[in-house]
Amino acid sequence: MNPDLIDRLVADEASGRYSRRQILQRAAALSLTAPALAALFAGAVPLRALAQNADNPLGVDPNAPLDVVIFKGGFGDDYAKYVNEKMYNKLYPDAKITYAGIQRLGEQLQPRFVAGTPPDVIDNSGAGNLDNAALVAEGQLADLADLLAAPSYDTEGKTVGETLVPGSQESGIFNGTQYLLNWALTAFGVWYSSSWMTSKGYEYPKTWDEMMALCEEIKGSGVAPWVTTGVHPQYARQFLFDQMVWKHDPDAIRNIENLEPDAWKASAVTDVLEAIYQLAEKGYLLQGWEGLDHIQSQNEWLQGKAVFIPVGTWLENEMKDSIPADFDMVLAPTPSLPGDKLPFEAIFAGGGEPFIVPSHGKNVPGGKEWLRLLFSKEAGKVFAESTKSLSTVSGSGEGLDLGSAFASAQADIAAAGANTYITRYQDWYTEFADEVKAQLASLLQMQISIEEFQNTVQQAADDLKADDSIPKYTR
Amino acid sequence: MHHHKYRLIVPFLLPAILLYGLFVVWPYAQAIYVSLTSWRGVSSNRPFVGLDNYQRLWQDTRFHEALGRNGQLLVVLPLVTVAIALTFAALFTQGSQRVRGAGFYRVVYFFPQIIPAVIVGILWSYIYTPNIGLLNGVLRAAGLEGLTRSWLTDPATVLWAIVAVAIWSSVGFYMVIFLASMQSIPASFYEAAILDGATRWTSFKDITFPLIWETLRTSIIYLAIAALDFFILVVVVSGGSTTMGARRAEVAAVYLYNQAFDSSRWGYASAIGVVLLILTLLLSVVIMRVTRRETYEF
């Protein structure tokens, strides 16, 4: 008799996922002997102890093959290979891991989902990834509650869930169930070169009025104060506009996300639009910004043609080959508006790089176990060192000296404390978010007025709300 | 006798028909079925919704705008491409009336055609880049600073900037087709015309044009179909299906892609595909009818 099979059956029974009759059916299918069955139900105490063994809390079959697919983008995939070879295969040397580090996951994995043969664990990130909301709506993702409740791999006495940065997993919850686990801890805000600012005797302005005054001065010296990508205006939309609305009035952004009536016409929204419209009106944006993609805009910024740029914490790794020496890039929260309900330190931060375990994979416990190993201090350190980015495992970046960007992001997140947030409507309603970004780009090119922006976007929100073919989410 | 004929024809045709059926007709049939569902594309669950998707399309202003752009392309793309290709072809043939160095031009103008569309697209996306792009650079050098702009995000220029790329890359191909057709016209026709005092233009109008009409007509149908598709260049030149450029130059096929791959609405996207299929078929029939005229044997 195979003790692992019994382990699994006991785990199933203990979790209450299956009725006793189903367990018996499964046991019969696995041709367990009568004594084994007797042990299962009568004298199950020692077996139960075995199943809840801290080394295998999720009941993994050590021999079952595992299929891992990782988005190999800005973060590379060294950390994932580390988990495969140095962690999973160390615990389960007989498990054969099929691994792929790829881009545009949607095109490659979609047929596998339709055919019912998805991989066991996926880093579903990057451009052209699978639509998480659609996967959830189709019941294709496994509930990760048991993983969060399992003991952490290398933090004694804590569950996996307890080791994660508070708030970092909120975007993985769809209507109350955790389907996604975010691996990277990302902060979004305004970047600048601290060495350049210091050399000019400037300090990062904490209020929008000071920002405008500084912009006027910078513009006078022949440098553009701001640049952002006009090809992908979602950068300005989320990292600048959404963030400023949230800091001005957290209820205003929540109303927007919950598709409340007239949410886009709230005075908090108008205030923010009037503030950022000045960037366009007063010519504070780098000429030609509207035609730059994200890489081009970041290059212009690195070349010193503009001072401020709204991006996320992947910026340094993404541009690592073109950063001038002593550039010392740092991240700051958006400047405050008069009457902001949240302090200046409040910043858009939270989990990104979501991982999923397909519900119809062949080795669901194995997929979850792989994630349990990933969400450890050990893997977090490997990730931080190879990408200069933080993972969502608390304390995984402690004691690492990885430069100004890493340090400033860590400091910003610490200073913000509980005041962190990330808008999610772009994940729920892709098409609507595209409309918002398109209208915002038109506004920043002064092709439409603030009022036209608000009317058009409100109309789109109302249409979306009335469209019952699109599942709705609230927060 | 007839039996023998079919015994020969059928084995020759069968493989082609089977392949065509498997890889063309069957996917079309599937797409028609998918268009009647609200399939999200990530599971085998395809809820049947009848004609709902078509009803939505009927009221979808974004789709109407996209089709409107296809409509503009339908007029501009064939007209301009054929006009330029025809001019070049005529200048490089017409017996002794052809321009000097014709052989050289024939080769050079065909160059863009041998570059894959994706590379053409990427190349031009750099040419159009506002700050370091060739086009704005040339305009600045020529003192025309006022004309510089972000060609691929400016709503007034983006579609036409991409159309220009399409014309640039296809003129060579149609020129070669017209050349082939023109070269089959006996040189003696032109010699006779010159003796009668014909200019280059009258030779073209009265000899070349009527004699290549069939080729011209086929070319117009090809270009019209290209105008109804026009997917690759919009997506590649503007840098992706969700960029501002792609949105402002959105044609029906780009909207289709966007709905399927970016918004996971495969049922709706398939309905767009079916509408495009019907429009393409209708258009082909209409052009065939409208352009039917007497063909000359020579």
Side-chain angles (χ1 to χ4, degrees):
Chain A
M1 108 185 160
N2 181 345
D4 303 318
L5 289 177
I6 298 203
D7 276 2
R8 271 162 69 185
L9 292 172
V10 170
D12 285 348
E13 208 240 353
S15 68
R17 259 179 301 176
Y18 301 96
S19 70
R20 206 157 258 238
R21 199 169 69 94
Q22 284 171 310
I23 299 238
L24 277 173
Q25 281 170 344
R26 294 183 66 205
L30 295 163
S31 37
L32 284 184
T33 56
L37 279 175
L40 192 60
F41 293 116
V45 182
L47 284 169
R48 269 168 202 264
L50 190 91
Q52 288 177 344
N53 183 340
D55 289 338
N56 190 0
L58 294 164
V60 176
D61 176 354
N63 299 312
L66 188 71
D67 192 337
V68 183
V69 178
I70 300 294
F71 167 64
K72 188 178 177 179
F75 292 134
D77 66 346
D78 289 346
Y79 68 97
K81 287 181 184 158
Y82 182 90
V83 174
N84 285 342
E85 291 153 22
K86 302 277 164 55
M87 300 180 82
Y88 197 91
N89 269 347
K90 203 174 104 191
L91 284 182
Y92 312 104
D94 296 329
K96 188 183 175 310
I97 297 180
T98 311
Y99 175 76
I102 57 173
Q103 283 111 36
R104 303 202 66 84
L105 275 71
E107 289 154 20
Q108 299 180 58
L109 296 183
Q110 200 185 355
R112 295 187 61 186
F113 274 95
V114 175
T117 56
D120 300 312
V121 59
I122 304 169
D123 168 8
N124 187 24
S125 309
N129 63 343
L130 291 151
D131 182 341
N132 284 318
L135 288 171
V136 169
E138 290 295 332
Q140 290 281 12
L141 301 185
D143 180 348
L144 300 177
D146 53 343
L147 167 61
L148 290 175
S152 154
Y153 173 72
D154 56 7
T155 305
E156 288 274 326
K158 283 196 174 175
T159 64
V160 172
E162 286 163 357
T163 63
L164 304 177
V165 173
S168 65
Q169 302 305 331
E170 207 218 330
S171 66
I173 299 171
F174 285 75
N175 289 341
T177 307
Q178 188 88 45
Y179 288 111
L180 279 62
L181 273 195
N182 292 316
W183 171 236
L185 187 61
T186 317
F188 313 86
V190 183
W191 292 81
Y192 60 92
S193 157
S194 65
S195 58
W196 186 87
M197 291 282 277
T198 314
S199 73
K200 297 275 174 191
Y202 299 146
E203 234 177 84
Y204 183 76
K206 292 192 172 178
T207 68
W208 192 257
D209 289 339
E210 288 167 19
M211 172 57 91
M212 290 300 101
L214 179 60
C215 285
E216 195 59 36
E217 203 173 324
I218 293 173
K219 194 189 169 199
S221 71
V223 177
W226 279 75
V227 68
T228 184
T229 161
V231 171
H232 303 290
Q234 63 262 41
Y235 280 55
R237 194 215 81 222
Q238 194 179 19
F239 313 152
L240 191 62
F241 170 77
D242 285 2
Q243 181 160 191
M244 286 181 70
V245 172
W246 166 68
K247 289 170 76 160
H248 202 43
D249 181 2
D251 287 337
I253 201 75
R254 230 165 253 125
N255 289 341
I256 284 176
E257 299 215 80
N258 292 340
L259 305 178
E260 299 293 343
D262 284 337
W264 288 90
K265 296 182 178 173
S267 63
V269 176
T270 316
D271 290 347
V272 172
L273 288 171
E274 280 170 357
I276 61 178
Y277 188 71
Q278 296 176 49
L279 292 177
E281 211 178 13
K282 298 183 174 166
Y284 293 159
L285 286 159
L286 179 74
Q287 218 192 350
W289 71 275
E290 68 276 4
L292 303 175
D293 68 18
H294 56 302
I295 300 290
Q296 289 165 343
S297 69
Q298 289 158 198
N299 265 321
E300 300 267 4
W301 174 71
L302 286 172
Q303 288 165 19
K305 301 211 176 112
V307 179
F308 302 110
I309 186 169
V311 193
T313 35
W314 58 81
L315 175 64
E316 185 180 29
N317 206 49
E318 186 167 54
M319 305 305 291
K320 61 179 176 240
D321 297 329
S322 6
I323 303 172
D326 301 322
F327 191 80
D328 290 340
M329 61 172 76
V330 293
L331 170 70
T334 53
S336 301
L337 288 174
D340 265 12
K341 293 200 171 140
L342 295 177
F344 164 75
E345 286 75 21
I347 194 166
F348 263 27
E353 201 79 1
F355 278 70
I356 53 175
V357 175
S359 54
H360 301 305
K362 286 203 186 71
N363 189 1
V364 174
K368 290 179 178 174
E369 176 72 356
W370 195 93
L371 287 184
R372 191 176 72 95
L373 300 177
L374 176 71
F375 285 86
S376 64
K377 281 193 168 173
E378 184 179 336
K381 192 159 173 273
V382 172
F383 179 72
E385 283 173 341
S386 66
T387 64
K388 293 190 179 181
S389 301
L390 286 161
S391 76
T392 50
V393 179
S394 297
S396 59
E398 272 166 24
L400 296 173
D401 180 16
L402 296 170
S404 61
F406 187 81
S408 73
Q410 233 178 338
D412 286 341
I413 292 168
N419 286 324
T420 59
Y421 191 80
I422 295 185
T423 35
R424 294 183 60 198
Y425 63 96
Q426 70 282 348
D427 305 325
W428 298 336
Y429 317 116
T430 33
E431 201 176 341
F432 171 67
D434 278 350
E435 181 66 28
V436 178
K437 81 174 186 200
Q439 295 300 329
L440 187 67
S442 300
L443 180 73
L444 289 177
Q445 288 172 63
M446 298 192 291
Q447 288 156 352
I448 57 171
S449 69
I450 290 173
E451 202 189 339
E452 283 169 323
F453 171 90
Q454 286 174 302
N455 289 337
T456 315
V457 173
Q458 187 59 53
Q459 185 59 49
D462 294 342
D463 292 348
L464 165 65
K465 194 173 185 182
D467 184 347
D468 52 17
S469 76
I470 299 172
K472 301 299 185 303
Y473 301 92
T474 52
R475 61 189 300 188
Chain B
M1 199 56 199
H2 278 297
H3 279 302
H4 285 295
K5 200 167 85 183
Y6 287 123
R7 225 183 279 165
L8 189 68
I9 289 173
V10 169
F12 272 107
L13 284 184
L14 206 58
I17 289 175
L18 281 179
L19 286 175
Y20 188 80
L22 188 64
F23 292 113
V24 179
V25 179
W26 177 233
Y28 272 129
Q30 277 188 318
I32 292 169
Y33 176 74
V34 170
S35 76
L36 303 175
T37 71
S38 61
W39 192 38
R40 286 202 182 88
V42 293
S43 77
S44 51
N45 172 31
R46 304 199 283 199
F48 188 80
V49 294
L51 294 173
D52 275 12
N53 288 328
Y54 292 93
Q55 231 157 25
R56 282 178 78 102
L57 268 184
W58 190 250
Q59 294 152 357
D60 186 343
T61 45
R62 190 169 157 189
F63 177 62
H64 299 161
E65 282 168 23
L67 266 189
R69 292 192 190 95
N70 283 113
Q72 297 174 47
L73 294 185
L74 203 53
V75 177
V76 174
L77 194 65
L79 213 66
V80 178
T81 311
V82 165
I84 299 175
L86 212 52
T87 309
F88 286 155
L91 288 176
F92 305 153
T93 50
Q94 296 205 163
S96 57
Q97 288 177 322
R98 69 171 157 189
V99 298
R100 291 209 313 182
F104 174 75
Y105 291 128
R106 272 186 217 175
V107 174
V108 168
Y109 287 142
F110 192 69
F111 275 173
Q113 186 60 34
I114 59 174
I115 309 173
V118 172
I119 297 177
V120 167
I122 293 173
L123 202 74
W124 279 87
S125 73
Y126 281 101
I127 292 176
Y128 285 133
T129 292
N131 293 359
I132 53 165
L134 188 65
L135 181 56
N136 277 353
V138 167
L139 287 173
R140 273 188 214 108
L144 298 167
E145 184 81 38
L147 289 180
T148 63
R149 58 186 68 225
S150 287
W151 300 95
L152 296 176
T153 39
D154 190 327
T157 57
V158 55
L159 183 64
W160 304 111
I162 298 171
V163 168
V165 179
I167 293 170
W168 175 82
S169 70
S170 55
V171 155
F173 174 74
Y174 290 100
M175 178 196 75
V176 166
I177 291 193
F178 296 149
L179 274 174
S181 176
M182 287 178 188
Q183 278 167 340
S184 66
I185 304 171
S188 54
F189 288 16
Y190 295 107
E191 284 156 16
I194 291 169
L195 285 180
D196 292 338
T199 61
R200 207 178 249 159
W201 167 245
T202 41
S203 301
F204 175 76
K205 181 167 67 78
D206 296 331
I207 303 175
T208 313
F209 195 75
L211 291 182
I212 65 161
W213 179 249
E214 275 300 300
T215 313
L216 210 58
R217 181 177 157 192
T218 314
S219 301
I220 289 171
I221 293 176
Y222 276 162
L223 282 162
I225 292 173
L228 272 189
D229 168 21
F230 214 70
F231 170 75
I232 299 176
L233 280 180
V234 170
V235 169
V236 177
V237 176
S238 67
S241 61
T242 56
T243 55
M244 280 314 293
R247 182 61 192 274
R248 286 169 174 168
E250 189 169 77
V251 291
V254 174
Y255 185 47
L256 185 165
Y257 181 90
N258 198 281
Q259 286 296 304
F261 288 89
D262 301 320
S263 300
S264 301
R265 293 163 76 170
W266 291 76
Y268 195 56
S270 298
I272 298 174
V274 171
V275 170
L276 278 182
L277 170 71
I278 294 167
L279 287 178
T280 311
L281 289 176
L282 279 178
L283 189 78
S284 305
V285 172
V286 168
I287 295 180
M288 298 273 252
R289 285 277 154 84
V290 169
T291 58
R292 179 174 293 168
R293 54 191 269 183
E294 208 179 331
T295 50
Y296 302 92
E297 303 283 339
F298 56 90

